[in-house]
Amino acid sequence: MTLYGRSAVFNELVPELVGLKPEGHSLLPIPDGSPLLVRCTGGRYSGKTALLERLVERYAQRVPQAYADLGADDFGQPGLAPPDDGTANASRTTDLLFYLMDRLSQQPRQFRGKLTFPRLTQGLLAVTSWQAVQPAELAAARSRLAGLLRESQPDVQKRRDQVAGWITQVTEGLGTVPGLGPGLRELVPPLAEIVTTELLGPHANRDGLKWWSKRRVNSQGDAHAQLTELAMRFRGDRDDRRRAERHLHAALLEDMADHYTLLRRMNRVPRPLLLLDNVHTELGQEVWDTLTRVWHEETPRAWPGVVATSLAAEPAVPDPDGAPSTRNAAGPFWRQEKPEAPPGWVLRLPLARLGLDEVKEMFGADRPEPGAAQVIHRLSAGRAGIAHTLVQAVRGQIRRGEPVDVRSLLDLPYGAEPAPHVNERLLGILIPAQVARARLVYYAPALDDTAAHHLSAHYPPGDPGGVPVQETLARLRDDHWGRCPWPGIDGPFVADPTLRTLLLHDLRLRTQETPEAERWKNIHLMLRSLYAPDAYGSTTASHDVRYLHHSLAIGDTDTVARALHRRLAQQDAPSWLAALSLICAAPHPPANLTAPPAATLSCPACTTDDDLVHQAVLLLLINLWEQSHPLAPPDMEKINSVRLQLLTLAQWSAPAAQRVFFQAHEQWPPLLNRWRQAPDLPTYGEART
């Protein structure tokens, strides 16, 4: 599968970091200084993991590499056991370092030499094998550690047998050794060969101990004293453990750098590649902060290329062409001078959103219905994973010889029958937890947090309770869903357009199973009541725009048209257009919703029964609402009606309002033709809704 919008990473950035062209064996010069740490950011299902997986494929058997998903218990490696929390001699960071060492030590076929890790091995063994002792036993404990690490055995084979025997004892006794979690347990057998090689090689062992002797983990003492202090600090408080883990990270980098002798640097031997997924998670952020700090504090050496990905809120407006992204990234990607702080080493690159032409290319030889690619592009907001899923659903329908109605795009099956609808599949990926997903489905119509609190008293059915709205807000925040308010209000509750569309579609499907879509109607009546103009029935109060939004969601166009007609005399034209745009962003009801009863009240703003302005308001409302359905392609008949009704309002308005309505008459139709919808239409002034 082609990955679009990632060319700068594949063709420029990573080749420069590792010193190897994207394909073949051609080597690139390695610049002086240190490489930048690259962090690619994007929203849910925007293609972060796919980017790293493609890099794994591109550099397989070419450079030493390690991929780790820091959001997964098994680091993305099936077969590893989940972590054992609460151990004194291990942490998720040490588990990760064991795992990275295992991956990086595997020699690619096209790489000169094999990476070895004496410093990291010594540090990890010191940490994981340490037993708590009394002060009087410190000297003996230090001697035991020295005996474990000592290289001066009289015979190489005897030394090999001794350490191999120790590893066998540890492996067999893992169930009784404190601090060795299941994840580490899985890695010890394949690490046996690595450890014997590292500790038994006289030069590697000697160089490792020499390095540790200079670390100043402790204020004084030789390498064994430093490693003893490392093990004790690891068992200390949070700050002590973080300090110990920084030393272990430094050992990892120094071991990799030590491979690059002067001769290898002159021969341009490529650098290793470290790929870290989901560094926004708790573990990921700890590892990333530690890595950037070590990168900043240690003396620059021949360090690896590092590419990480993390969740980040998508901007409301796409970055302009040419802005730094995975599509456009200008080098150099190295620094010769040390920045003032660790973040100065980080190059942040947003994952580029897909363009319309790229979505069209995803269809290959298949020819979708006109407008299908545009609807997918708008609905996905250019997120690669969402767009790909929607395209695959359409392609499956085409290959089955069945018609594709873009208004029914989210109801298409994904995969062979029986298969979930594509909407269900997308929501299952974007919001995996069922309780969180159900809450978001029922809270999606809310225009603010207060409205969501009112809904939570009744919905979703069978909710486990607790503090559902706060938990849902935390979920939206932690998953980095953007919160971009609509004009004039502090909402909606779910502000990401793509997610809101998917949730409201799910709610539409759930509520249409009730007779006459009664649950949909009750939800919006409840929400509408929060903004009722007057609890005592006075007709002098003006309808809140949110009241009218929920009225339209249940098809009550008469009430909305009367209120909008009345607002013409009460509001300036920009505010009126802003109100209209927000109202027409109302979700469309299920098909089986009962039509509201005919209006019995006359419009107080009408001068005659067939008032032209009222008719223009009603037709403008209906056509703009229909044209603002998230899956609606531009409809020339509806757009021309919008144009005509805005001209009518201009003709019947005072000069100041006339100018605004005429401007909308000229500009809204072309925007609607270019797939713009309410509530994102311009209003030509500061709106006061």
Side-chain angles (χ1 to χ4, degrees), residues 492-610:
F493 183 78
V494 179
D496 183 89
T498 301
L499 181 60
R500 189 169 193 269
T501 296
L502 300 176
L503 293 169
L504 287 170
H505 187 76
D506 191 295
L507 180 63
R508 193 177 297 113
L509 294 177
R510 296 184 189 215
T511 55
Q512 75 180 11
E513 296 176 358
T514 58
E516 300 179 338
E518 182 179 4
R519 182 170 291 172
W520 176 279
K521 182 178 180 180
N522 290 340
I523 287 172
H524 285 281
L525 286 175
M526 177 190 298
L527 293 172
R528 185 174 78 164
S529 68
L530 302 176
Y531 316 109
D534 193 320
Y536 298 99
S538 169
T539 60
T540 60
S542 176
H543 289 82
D544 187 291
V545 67
R546 294 166 293 183
Y547 180 96
L548 300 176
H549 174 97
H550 291 296
S551 296
L552 191 57
I554 57 175
D556 191 356
T557 54
D558 286 342
T559 295
V560 179
R562 287 198 308 273
L564 282 173
H565 189 186
R566 184 177 178 183
R567 275 173 168 255
L568 276 172
Q570 300 172 338
Q571 284 186 305
D572 57 87
S575 298
W576 192 89
L577 289 176
L580 173 69
S581 186
L582 192 145
I583 292 165
C584 288
H588 289 70
N592 63 331
L593 179 73
T594 305
T600 57
L601 297 175
S602 61
C603 175
C606 287
T607 57
T608 63
D609 290 341
D610 55 351

Side-chain angles (χ1 to χ4, degrees), residues 276-296:
L276 303 176
D277 204 358
N278 292 316
V279 299
H280 62 278
T281 58
E282 182 179 359
L283 172 63
Q285 195 58 53
E286 287 181 3
V287 169
W288 185 256
D289 290 345
T290 302
L291 184 61
T292 54
R293 181 167 175 178
V294 170
W295 210 268
H296 183 69

Side-chain angles (χ1 to χ4, degrees), residues 308-324:
T309 64
S310 65
L311 268 180
E314 300 277 1
V317 179
D319 293 330
D321 293 340

Side-chain angles (χ1 to χ4, degrees), residues 302-375:
W303 286 346
V306 178
V307 181
T309 64
S310 65
L311 268 180
E314 300 277 1
V317 179
D319 293 330
D321 293 340
S325 71
T326 54
R327 192 193 305 275
N328 301 298
F333 306 113
W334 292 65
R335 290 197 68 146
Q336 279 72 45
E337 296 186 3
K338 188 175 183 178
E340 294 183 359
W345 289 107
V346 178
L347 173 63
R348 285 181 173 270
L349 289 179
L351 274 81
R353 300 194 194 191
L354 302 189
L356 176 58
D357 289 342
E358 292 168 328
V359 173
K360 290 180 178 179
E361 287 182 29
M362 286 183 172
F363 283 98
D366 295 323
R367 293 291 174 263
E369 293 292 319
Q374 288 86 344
V375 167

Side-chain angles (χ1 to χ4, degrees), residues 98-118:
F98 267 111
Y99 175 71
L100 295 178
M101 182 167 62
D102 176 64
R103 302 286 97 180
L104 290 166
S105 64
Q106 298 176 18
Q107 182 178 358
R109 286 195 299 266
Q110 301 173 21
F111 187 74
R112 302 174 191 175
K114 176 182 178 181
L115 297 185
T116 59
F117 296 89

